[in-house]
Coordinates of all heavy atoms in Angstrom, one line a residue:
M60 N -7.6 15.6 49.8 CA -6.4 16.2 49.3 C -5.7 15.3 48.4 O -5.8 14.1 48.4 CB -5.5 16.6 50.5 CG -6.3 17.4 51.6 SD -5.5 19.0 51.8 CE -6.6 19.6 53.0
D61 N -4.8 15.9 47.6 CA -4.1 15.1 46.6 C -2.9 14.3 47.1 O -2.3 14.7 48.1 CB -3.5 16.1 45.5 CG -4.6 16.8 44.7 OD1 -5.7 16.2 44.5 OD2 -4.4 17.8 44.1
L62 N -2.7 13.2 46.5 CA -1.6 12.4 46.8 C -0.3 13.1 46.4 O -0.2 13.7 45.4 CB -1.7 11.1 46.0 CG -0.6 10.0 46.2 CD1 -0.8 9.3 47.5 CD2 -0.5 9.1 45.1
R63 N 0.7 13.0 47.3 CA 2.0 13.6 47.0 C 3.1 12.5 47.0 O 3.1 11.6 47.8 CB 2.4 14.6 48.1 CG 1.5 15.8 48.3 CD 2.0 16.7 49.4 NE 2.0 16.0 50.7 CZ 1.0 15.9 51.5 NH1 -0.2 16.2 51.1 NH2 1.1 15.3 52.7
D64 N 4.0 12.6 46.0 CA 5.2 11.7 46.0 C 6.3 12.6 46.5 O 6.8 13.4 45.8 CB 5.4 11.2 44.6 CG 6.6 10.3 44.5 OD1 7.2 10.0 45.5 OD2 6.9 9.8 43.3
V65 N 6.8 12.3 47.7 CA 7.9 13.0 48.3 C 9.2 12.2 47.9 O 9.6 11.4 48.7 CB 7.7 13.2 49.8 CG1 8.9 14.0 50.4 CG2 6.4 13.8 50.1
V66 N 9.7 12.5 46.7 CA 10.7 11.7 46.1 C 12.0 11.6 47.0 O 12.6 10.6 47.2 CB 11.1 12.2 44.7 CG1 12.2 11.4 44.1 CG2 9.9 12.1 43.8
S67 N 12.3 12.7 47.6 CA 13.5 12.8 48.5 C 13.4 11.9 49.7 O 14.5 11.5 50.3 CB 13.8 14.3 48.9 OG 12.7 14.7 49.7
E68 N 12.2 11.5 50.1 CA 12.0 10.7 51.3 C 11.5 9.3 50.9 O 11.2 8.5 51.8 CB 11.1 11.4 52.3 CG 11.6 12.6 52.8 CD 10.7 13.3 53.8 OE1 9.9 12.5 54.5 OE2 10.7 14.5 53.9
Y69 N 11.4 9.0 49.6 CA 10.8 7.8 49.1 C 9.5 7.5 49.9 O 9.3 6.4 50.5 CB 11.8 6.6 49.3 CG 13.1 6.8 48.5 CD1 14.2 7.3 49.1 CD2 13.1 6.5 47.2 CE1 15.4 7.5 48.4 CE2 14.3 6.6 46.4 CZ 15.4 7.2 47.1 OH 16.5 7.3 46.3
R70 N 8.6 8.4 49.8 CA 7.3 8.3 50.5 C 6.2 9.0 49.7 O 6.3 10.1 49.2 CB 7.5 9.0 51.9 CG 6.2 9.1 52.7 CD 6.5 9.8 54.0 NE 7.0 8.8 54.9 CZ 7.1 9.0 56.2 NH1 6.6 10.1 56.7 NH2 7.6 8.1 57.0
Y71 N 5.1 8.3 49.7 CA 3.8 8.8 49.2 C 3.1 9.3 50.4 O 3.1 8.6 51.5 CB 3.0 7.8 48.5 CG 3.5 7.4 47.1 CD1 4.1 6.1 47.0 CD2 3.5 8.2 46.0 CE1 4.6 5.7 45.8 CE2 4.1 7.8 44.8 CZ 4.6 6.6 44.7 OH 5.1 6.2 43.5
E72 N 2.4 10.5 50.3 CA 1.6 11.0 51.4 C 0.3 11.6 50.9 O 0.2 12.0 49.8 CB 2.4 12.2 52.1 CG 3.7 11.8 52.7 CD 4.4 13.1 53.3 OE1 4.0 14.2 53.0 OE2 5.4 12.8 54.0
Q73 N -0.7 11.5 51.8 CA -1.9 12.2 51.5 C -2.6 12.7 52.8 O -2.5 11.9 53.8 CB -2.9 11.2 50.8 CG -4.1 11.9 50.2 CD -4.9 11.0 49.3 OE1 -4.7 9.8 49.3 NE2 -5.8 11.5 48.6
D74 N -3.1 13.8 52.8 CA -3.8 14.4 54.0 C -5.3 14.1 54.0 O -5.9 14.1 52.9 CB -3.6 15.9 54.0 CG -2.2 16.4 54.1 OD1 -1.4 15.6 54.8 OD2 -1.8 17.4 53.6
F75 N -5.8 13.9 55.2 CA -7.2 13.7 55.4 C -7.6 14.4 56.6 O -6.8 14.5 57.6 CB -7.5 12.2 55.6 CG -7.2 11.3 54.3 CD1 -6.0 10.8 54.1 CD2 -8.2 11.2 53.4 CE1 -5.7 10.0 53.0 CE2 -8.0 10.4 52.2 CZ -6.7 9.8 52.1
A76 N -8.9 14.9 56.7 CA -9.4 15.5 57.9 C -9.9 14.4 58.8 O -10.7 13.5 58.4 CB -10.5 16.5 57.5
D77 N -9.6 14.5 60.1 CA -10.2 13.6 61.1 C -11.6 14.0 61.4 O -12.1 15.0 60.9 CB -9.3 13.4 62.3 CG -9.2 14.7 63.1 OD1 -9.9 15.6 63.0 OD2 -8.2 14.7 64.0
G78 N -12.2 13.4 62.4 CA -13.6 13.7 62.8 C -13.8 15.1 63.3 O -14.9 15.6 63.3
E79 N -12.7 15.7 63.8 CA -12.8 17.1 64.3 C -12.3 18.1 63.3 O -12.2 19.3 63.6 CB -12.0 17.1 65.6 CG -12.5 16.2 66.7 CD -11.6 16.1 67.9 OE1 -10.6 16.9 68.0 OE2 -11.9 15.4 68.8
G80 N -12.0 17.7 62.1 CA -11.6 18.6 61.0 C -10.1 18.9 61.0 O -9.6 19.7 60.2
Q81 N -9.3 18.2 61.9 CA -7.9 18.4 61.9 C -7.2 17.6 60.8 O -7.6 16.4 60.6 CB -7.3 18.1 63.3 CG -5.9 18.5 63.4 CD -5.4 18.3 64.9 OE1 -6.1 17.7 65.7 NE2 -4.3 18.9 65.2
V82 N -6.3 18.2 60.1 CA -5.6 17.5 59.0 C -4.6 16.5 59.6 O -3.8 16.8 60.4 CB -4.9 18.5 58.1 CG1 -4.1 17.8 57.0 CG2 -5.9 19.4 57.4
R83 N -4.7 15.2 59.1 CA -3.9 14.1 59.5 C -3.3 13.5 58.2 O -3.8 13.7 57.1 CB -4.6 13.1 60.3 CG -5.4 13.6 61.5 CD -4.5 14.0 62.6 NE -5.3 14.5 63.7 CZ -4.9 14.5 64.9 NH1 -3.7 14.1 65.2 NH2 -5.7 14.9 65.9
I84 N -2.3 12.6 58.4 CA -1.6 12.1 57.2 C -1.7 10.5 57.2 O -1.7 9.9 58.2 CB -0.1 12.5 57.2 CG1 0.5 12.2 55.9 CG2 0.6 11.9 58.4 CD1 1.9 12.8 55.7
V85 N -1.8 10.0 55.9 CA -1.6 8.6 55.7 C -0.4 8.6 54.7 O -0.2 9.4 53.8 CB -2.8 7.9 55.0 CG1 -2.5 6.5 54.7 CG2 -4.0 8.1 55.8
F86 N 0.6 7.6 55.0 CA 1.8 7.6 54.1 C 2.2 6.2 53.8 O 1.7 5.2 54.5 CB 2.9 8.3 54.8 CG 3.5 7.7 56.0 CD1 4.5 6.7 55.9 CD2 3.0 8.0 57.3 CE1 5.0 6.1 57.0 CE2 3.5 7.4 58.4 CZ 4.5 6.5 58.3
A87 N 2.9 6.0 52.8 CA 3.5 4.7 52.4 C 5.0 5.0 52.1 O 5.3 5.8 51.2 CB 2.8 4.2 51.2
D88 N 5.9 4.3 52.8 CA 7.3 4.3 52.4 C 7.5 3.3 51.3 O 6.9 2.3 51.3 CB 8.1 3.9 53.6 CG 8.1 5.0 54.7 OD1 8.0 6.2 54.4 OD2 8.1 4.6 55.9
Y89 N 8.4 3.7 50.4 CA 8.7 2.8 49.2 C 10.1 2.8 48.9 O 10.9 3.6 49.2 CB 7.8 3.2 48.0 CG 8.1 4.5 47.4 CD1 9.1 4.6 46.4 CD2 7.4 5.7 47.7 CE1 9.5 5.9 45.8 CE2 7.7 6.9 47.2 CZ 8.7 7.0 46.2 OH 9.0 8.2 45.6
A90 N 10.5 1.7 48.1 CA 11.8 1.6 47.5 C 11.6 1.6 46.0 O 10.5 1.2 45.5 CB 12.5 0.3 47.9
V91 N 12.5 2.0 45.2 CA 12.4 2.1 43.8 C 13.2 0.9 43.2 O 14.3 0.6 43.5 CB 13.0 3.4 43.2 CG1 13.0 3.4 41.7 CG2 12.3 4.6 43.8
R92 N 12.5 0.2 42.3 CA 13.1 -0.9 41.6 C 12.6 -0.8 40.1 O 11.6 -1.3 39.7 CB 12.6 -2.2 42.2 CG 13.3 -3.4 41.6 CD 13.0 -4.7 42.3 NE 11.5 -5.0 42.1 CZ 10.8 -5.8 42.9 NH1 11.4 -6.4 44.0 NH2 9.6 -6.0 42.6
G93 N 13.3 0.1 39.4 CA 13.0 0.4 38.0 C 11.6 1.1 38.0 O 11.5 2.1 38.6
D94 N 10.7 0.6 37.2 CA 9.3 1.2 37.2 C 8.4 0.6 38.2 O 7.2 0.8 38.1 CB 8.7 1.0 35.8 CG 9.4 1.8 34.7 OD1 10.1 2.8 35.1 OD2 9.4 1.4 33.5
T95 N 8.9 0.0 39.2 CA 8.1 -0.6 40.3 C 8.4 0.1 41.6 O 9.6 0.5 41.9 CB 8.5 -2.1 40.5 OG1 8.1 -2.8 39.3 CG2 7.7 -2.7 41.6
R96 N 7.4 0.4 42.3 CA 7.5 1.0 43.7 C 7.2 -0.2 44.7 O 6.1 -0.7 44.7 CB 6.6 2.2 43.9 CG 6.8 3.3 42.9 CD 8.2 3.9 43.1 NE 8.5 4.9 42.1 CZ 9.2 4.7 41.0 NH1 9.7 3.5 40.7 NH2 9.5 5.7 40.1
V97 N 8.2 -0.5 45.4 CA 8.0 -1.6 46.5 C 7.5 -0.9 47.7 O 8.1 0.0 48.3 CB 9.4 -2.3 46.8 CG1 9.2 -3.3 47.8 CG2 10.0 -2.8 45.5
L98 N 6.2 -1.2 48.0 CA 5.6 -0.6 49.2 C 6.0 -1.3 50.4 O 5.7 -2.4 50.7 CB 4.0 -0.6 49.0 CG 3.5 0.1 47.8 CD1 2.0 -0.1 47.7 CD2 3.9 1.5 47.7
L99 N 6.8 -0.6 51.2 CA 7.4 -1.2 52.4 C 6.5 -1.1 53.6 O 6.5 -2.0 54.5 CB 8.8 -0.4 52.7 CG 9.8 -0.4 51.6 CD1 10.9 0.5 51.9 CD2 10.2 -1.8 51.3
H100 N 5.8 0.0 53.7 CA 5.0 0.2 55.0 C 3.9 1.3 54.7 O 4.2 2.3 54.1 CB 5.9 0.7 56.1 CG 5.3 1.0 57.3 ND1 4.8 0.1 58.2 CD2 5.0 2.2 57.9 CE1 4.2 0.7 59.2 NE2 4.4 2.0 59.1
V101 N 2.7 1.0 55.0 CA 1.6 2.0 54.9 C 1.1 2.2 56.4 O 1.0 1.3 57.2 CB 0.4 1.4 54.1 CG1 -0.7 2.4 54.1 CG2 0.9 1.2 52.7
E102 N 1.0 3.5 56.7 CA 0.6 3.9 58.0 C -0.4 5.1 58.0 O -0.1 6.0 57.3 CB 1.8 4.2 58.9 CG 1.4 4.4 60.3 CD 2.7 4.6 61.2 OE1 3.7 3.9 60.9 OE2 2.6 5.3 62.2
A103 N -1.4 5.0 58.8 CA -2.3 6.2 59.0 C -2.1 6.7 60.4 O -1.8 6.0 61.3 CB -3.7 5.7 58.9
D104 N -2.3 8.0 60.5 CA -2.3 8.7 61.8 C -3.3 8.0 62.6 O -4.4 7.7 62.1 CB -2.6 10.2 61.6 CG -2.6 10.9 62.9 OD1 -3.5 10.7 63.8 OD2 -1.6 11.7 63.1
P105 N -3.1 7.7 63.9 CA -4.0 7.0 64.7 C -5.4 7.6 64.7 O -6.4 6.9 64.8 CB -3.4 7.0 66.1 CG -1.9 7.1 65.9 CD -1.8 8.0 64.6
A106 N -5.5 8.9 64.6 CA -6.8 9.6 64.6 C -7.7 9.2 63.4 O -8.9 9.4 63.4 CB -6.7 11.1 64.7
L107 N -7.0 8.7 62.3 CA -7.7 8.3 61.1 C -8.1 6.9 61.1 O -8.9 6.5 60.2 CB -6.9 8.7 59.9 CG -6.6 10.1 59.6 CD1 -5.6 10.3 58.5 CD2 -7.9 10.9 59.3
R108 N -7.6 6.1 62.0 CA -7.9 4.6 61.9 C -9.4 4.4 62.1 O -10.0 5.0 62.9 CB -7.0 3.9 62.9 CG -5.6 4.0 62.6 CD -4.7 3.2 63.4 NE -3.3 3.4 62.9 CZ -2.3 3.4 63.7 NH1 -2.4 3.1 65.0 NH2 -1.1 3.6 63.3
G109 N -9.9 3.5 61.2 CA -11.3 3.1 61.2 C -12.1 4.1 60.4 O -13.4 3.9 60.3
T110 N -11.6 5.1 59.7 CA -12.3 6.0 58.9 C -12.4 5.7 57.4 O -13.1 6.4 56.7 CB -11.8 7.5 59.1 OG1 -10.5 7.5 58.5 CG2 -11.7 7.9 60.6
G111 N -11.6 4.8 57.0 CA -11.5 4.5 55.6 C -10.4 5.3 54.9 O -10.3 5.2 53.6
A112 N -9.7 6.1 55.6 CA -8.7 7.0 55.0 C -7.6 6.1 54.3 O -7.2 6.5 53.2 CB -8.1 7.9 56.0
S113 N -7.2 5.1 54.9 CA -6.1 4.2 54.3 C -6.6 3.6 53.0 O -5.8 3.6 52.1 CB -5.7 3.2 55.3 OG -5.1 3.7 56.4
G114 N -7.8 3.2 52.9 CA -8.3 2.7 51.7 C -8.4 3.7 50.6 O -8.1 3.4 49.4
R115 N -8.8 4.9 51.0 CA -8.9 6.0 50.0 C -7.5 6.4 49.5 O -7.2 6.7 48.3 CB -9.6 7.2 50.5 CG -11.1 6.9 50.7 CD -11.9 8.2 51.1 NE -11.4 9.0 52.2 CZ -11.8 8.7 53.5 NH1 -12.5 7.7 53.8 NH2 -11.3 9.5 54.4
F116 N -6.5 6.3 50.4 CA -5.1 6.6 50.1 C -4.6 5.5 49.1 O -4.0 5.8 48.1 CB -4.3 6.5 51.4 CG -2.8 6.5 51.1 CD1 -2.1 7.6 50.8 CD2 -2.1 5.3 51.3 CE1 -0.7 7.6 50.5 CE2 -0.7 5.3 51.0 CZ 0.0 6.4 50.7
M117 N -4.9 4.3 49.4 CA -4.5 3.2 48.5 C -5.1 3.3 47.1 O -4.4 3.1 46.1 CB -4.8 1.8 49.1 CG -3.8 1.4 50.2 SD -2.1 1.3 49.7 CE -2.2 0.0 48.4
Q118 N -6.3 3.7 47.1 CA -7.0 3.9 45.8 C -6.3 5.1 45.0 O -6.0 4.9 43.8 CB -8.5 4.2 45.9 CG -9.1 4.4 44.6 CD -10.6 4.6 44.7 OE1 -11.2 4.2 45.7 NE2 -11.2 5.0 43.6
A119 N -6.0 6.2 45.7 CA -5.3 7.3 45.0 C -3.9 6.8 44.6 O -3.5 7.2 43.5 CB -5.2 8.5 46.0
L120 N -3.2 6.0 45.4 CA -1.9 5.5 45.0 C -2.0 4.6 43.8 O -1.2 4.8 42.9 CB -1.3 4.8 46.2 CG 0.1 4.2 46.0 CD1 1.1 5.2 45.5 CD2 0.6 3.7 47.3
A121 N -2.9 3.7 43.8 CA -3.1 2.8 42.6 C -3.4 3.6 41.4 O -2.9 3.3 40.3 CB -4.2 1.8 42.9
E122 N -4.3 4.6 41.5 CA -4.6 5.5 40.3 C -3.4 6.3 39.8 O -3.2 6.4 38.6 CB -5.8 6.4 40.7 CG -7.1 5.7 40.8 CD -8.2 6.5 41.4 OE1 -8.0 7.7 41.8 OE2 -9.3 6.0 41.4
H123 N -2.6 6.7 40.8 CA -1.3 7.4 40.5 C -0.4 6.5 39.7 O 0.2 6.9 38.7 CB -0.7 8.0 41.7 CG 0.7 8.5 41.5 ND1 1.0 9.7 41.0 CD2 1.9 7.9 41.8 CE1 2.3 9.9 41.0 NE2 2.9 8.8 41.4
A124 N -0.2 5.3 40.2 CA 0.6 4.3 39.6 C 0.2 4.0 38.2 O 1.0 4.0 37.2 CB 0.7 3.0 40.4
R125 N -1.1 3.9 38.0 CA -1.6 3.6 36.6 C -1.3 4.8 35.7 O -0.9 4.6 34.6 CB -3.2 3.4 36.7 CG -3.8 3.1 35.4 CD -5.3 2.8 35.6 NE -5.5 1.5 36.1 CZ -6.6 1.2 36.8 NH1 -7.5 2.1 37.1 NH2 -6.7 -0.1 37.2
A126 N -1.6 6.0 36.2 CA -1.3 7.2 35.4 C 0.1 7.4 35.0 O 0.5 7.9 33.9 CB -1.9 8.5 36.1
Q127 N 1.0 7.0 35.9 CA 2.4 7.1 35.7 C 3.1 5.9 35.1 O 4.3 5.8 34.9 CB 3.2 7.4 37.0 CG 2.7 8.7 37.7 CD 3.0 9.9 36.8 OE1 4.1 10.1 36.3 NE2 2.0 10.8 36.6
R128 N 2.2 4.9 34.8 CA 2.7 3.6 34.2 C 3.7 2.9 35.1 O 4.7 2.4 34.7 CB 3.2 3.8 32.8 CG 2.1 4.3 31.9 CD 2.6 4.3 30.5 NE 1.5 4.8 29.7 CZ 1.6 5.1 28.4 NH1 2.7 5.1 27.8 NH2 0.5 5.5 27.8
L129 N 3.4 2.9 36.4 CA 4.2 2.3 37.4 C 3.6 1.0 37.9 O 2.3 0.9 37.8 CB 4.5 3.2 38.6 CG 5.2 4.5 38.4 CD1 5.1 5.4 39.6 CD2 6.6 4.3 37.9
K130 N 4.3 0.1 38.5 CA 3.8 -1.1 39.1 C 4.0 -0.9 40.6 O 5.0 -0.3 41.1 CB 4.5 -2.3 38.6 CG 4.3 -2.7 37.2 CD 2.9 -3.2 37.0 CE 2.8 -3.7 35.6 NZ 1.5 -4.3 35.3
L131 N 3.1 -1.5 41.4 CA 3.3 -1.5 42.9 C 3.5 -3.0 43.3 O 2.8 -3.9 43.0 CB 2.0 -1.0 43.5 CG 1.5 0.4 43.1 CD1 0.2 0.7 43.7 CD2 2.6 1.4 43.5
Y132 N 4.6 -3.1 44.1 CA 4.9 -4.4 44.7 C 4.7 -4.3 46.2 O 5.5 -3.6 46.9 CB 6.3 -4.9 44.4 CG 6.6 -6.2 45.0 CD1 6.2 -7.4 44.3 CD2 7.2 -6.3 46.2 CE1 6.5 -8.6 44.9 CE2 7.5 -7.6 46.8 CZ 7.1 -8.7 46.1 OH 7.3 -9.9 46.7
P133 N 3.7 -4.8 46.8 CA 3.4 -4.6 48.2 C 4.1 -5.6 49.1 O 3.7 -6.8 49.2 CB 1.9 -4.8 48.2 CG 1.6 -5.8 47.2 CD 2.6 -5.6 46.1
Q134 N 5.1 -5.1 49.8 CA 5.7 -5.9 50.9 C 4.9 -5.8 52.1 O 4.9 -6.7 53.0 CB 7.2 -5.5 51.1 CG 8.1 -6.1 50.1 CD 9.5 -5.9 50.5 OE1 9.9 -5.1 51.3 NE2 10.4 -6.6 49.8
C135 N 4.3 -4.6 52.3 CA 3.4 -4.3 53.4 C 2.2 -5.2 53.4 O 1.5 -5.3 52.3 CB 3.1 -2.9 53.4 SG 1.8 -2.4 54.5
G136 N 1.8 -5.8 54.5 CA 0.6 -6.7 54.5 C -0.7 -5.9 54.2 O -1.5 -6.4 53.5
Y137 N -0.8 -4.7 54.7 CA -2.0 -3.9 54.4 C -2.1 -3.6 52.9 O -3.2 -3.8 52.3 CB -2.1 -2.6 55.2 CG -3.3 -1.8 54.8 CD1 -4.5 -2.1 55.4 CD2 -3.2 -0.7 53.9 CE1 -5.6 -1.3 55.0 CE2 -4.3 0.0 53.5 CZ -5.5 -0.3 54.1 OH -6.6 0.4 53.7
A138 N -1.0 -3.2 52.3 CA -1.1 -2.9 50.9 C -1.4 -4.1 50.1 O -2.1 -4.1 49.1 CB 0.3 -2.2 50.4
R139 N -0.8 -5.2 50.4 CA -1.0 -6.5 49.7 C -2.5 -6.9 49.8 O -3.1 -7.2 48.8 CB -0.1 -7.6 50.3 CG -0.3 -8.9 49.5 CD 0.6 -10.0 50.0 NE 2.0 -9.7 49.6 CZ 2.6 -10.1 48.5 NH1 1.9 -10.8 47.6 NH2 3.8 -9.8 48.2
T140 N -3.0 -6.8 51.0 CA -4.4 -7.2 51.2 C -5.3 -6.3 50.4 O -6.3 -6.7 49.7 CB -4.8 -7.2 52.7 OG1 -4.0 -8.2 53.3 CG2 -6.2 -7.6 52.9
W141 N -5.1 -5.0 50.4 CA -5.9 -4.0 49.7 C -5.9 -4.3 48.2 O -6.9 -4.3 47.6 CB -5.4 -2.6 50.0 CG -6.4 -1.6 49.5 CD1 -7.5 -1.0 50.2 CD2 -6.5 -1.0 48.2 NE1 -8.2 -0.2 49.4 CE2 -7.6 -0.2 48.1 CE3 -5.7 -1.2 47.0 CZ2 -8.0 0.5 47.0 CZ3 -6.1 -0.5 45.9 CH2 -7.2 0.4 45.9
L142 N -4.7 -4.5 47.7 CA -4.6 -4.8 46.2 C -5.3 -6.1 45.9 O -5.9 -6.2 44.8 CB -3.1 -4.8 45.8 CG -2.5 -3.4 45.7 CD1 -1.0 -3.4 45.6 CD2 -3.1 -2.6 44.5
Q143 N -5.2 -7.1 46.7 CA -5.8 -8.4 46.4 C -7.4 -8.2 46.4 O -8.1 -8.9 45.7 CB -5.4 -9.4 47.5 CG -4.0 -9.9 47.3 CD -3.6 -10.9 48.4 OE1 -4.1 -10.8 49.5 NE2 -2.6 -11.7 48.1
R144 N -7.9 -7.3 47.3 CA -9.3 -7.1 47.4 C -9.8 -6.2 46.3 O -11.1 -5.9 46.2 CB -9.7 -6.5 48.7 CG -9.5 -7.5 49.8 CD -9.9 -7.0 51.2 NE -9.7 -8.0 52.2 CZ -9.7 -7.7 53.5 NH1 -9.9 -6.5 53.9 NH2 -9.5 -8.7 54.4
H145 N -9.0 -5.6 45.5 CA -9.4 -4.6 44.5 C -8.8 -5.1 43.1 O -7.8 -4.5 42.6 CB -8.9 -3.2 44.8 CG -9.7 -2.7 46.0 ND1 -9.3 -2.9 47.3 CD2 -10.8 -2.0 46.1 CE1 -10.1 -2.4 48.1 NE2 -11.1 -1.8 47.4
P146 N -9.4 -6.1 42.5 CA -8.9 -6.6 41.2 C -8.9 -5.6 40.1 O -8.2 -5.8 39.1 CB -9.8 -7.8 41.0 CG -11.0 -7.6 41.8 CD -10.6 -6.8 43.0
E147 N -9.7 -4.5 40.3 CA -9.7 -3.5 39.2 C -8.4 -2.8 39.1 O -8.1 -2.1 38.1 CB -10.8 -2.5 39.5 CG -10.6 -1.6 40.7 CD -11.2 -2.2 42.0 OE1 -11.3 -3.4 42.1 OE2 -11.5 -1.4 42.9
F148 N -7.4 -3.0 40.1 CA -6.1 -2.5 40.0 C -5.0 -3.5 39.8 O -3.9 -3.3 40.0 CB -5.8 -1.6 41.2 CG -6.6 -0.4 41.4 CD1 -7.6 -0.3 42.3 CD2 -6.4 0.7 40.5 CE1 -8.4 0.9 42.4 CE2 -7.2 1.8 40.6 CZ -8.2 1.9 41.5
K149 N -5.5 -4.7 39.3 CA -4.5 -5.8 39.0 C -3.4 -5.3 38.0 O -2.3 -5.8 38.1 CB -5.3 -7.0 38.5 CG -4.4 -8.2 38.3 CD -5.2 -9.5 38.1 CE -4.4 -10.7 38.0 NZ -3.5 -11.0 39.1
D150 N -3.8 -4.4 37.1 CA -2.8 -4.0 36.1 C -1.6 -3.2 36.7 O -0.6 -3.1 36.1 CB -3.5 -3.1 35.0 CG -4.1 -1.8 35.6 OD1 -4.9 -1.9 36.6 OD2 -3.8 -0.7 35.1
V151 N -1.8 -2.7 37.9 CA -0.7 -2.0 38.6 C 0.0 -2.8 39.7 O 1.0 -2.4 40.2 CB -1.1 -0.6 39.1 CG1 -1.6 0.3 38.0 CG2 -2.1 -0.7 40.3
S152 N -0.6 -3.9 40.0 CA 0.0 -4.7 41.1 C 0.9 -5.8 40.6 O 0.7 -6.4 39.5 CB -1.1 -5.3 42.0 OG -1.9 -6.2 41.3
E153 N 2.0 -6.0 41.3 CA 3.1 -6.9 40.9 C 3.4 -7.8 42.1 O 4.2 -7.5 42.9 CB 4.3 -6.1 40.4 CG 5.4 -7.0 39.8 CD 6.5 -6.1 39.3 OE1 6.4 -5.6 38.2 OE2 7.5 -6.0 40.1
F154 N 2.7 -8.9 42.2 CA 3.0 -9.9 43.2 C 2.4 -11.2 42.9 O 1.6 -11.4 41.9 CB 2.5 -9.4 44.6 CG 1.0 -9.2 44.7 CD1 0.2 -10.2 45.2 CD2 0.5 -8.0 44.4 CE1 -1.2 -10.0 45.3 CE2 -0.9 -7.8 44.5 CZ -1.7 -8.8 45.0

């Protein structure tokens, strides 16, 4: 499913199906600092943990940031580690 920017909640969200086909969510809360989105917290529904959904979410988020000409500043440890492990998105990461 497509990444959503829920501007009113300062949150990116994306739905994924769990092993039983039930729709679950991965989200990232963020703060706005000009053209930078400070990623405060990334969380996956417990039913999605270990499925790779968080990584697919981060890829979609990085691609969104690139398309929108935004930078991502990861305060969240998971987001920071993911961006460090994916140098192909260095152009959108700011840390």
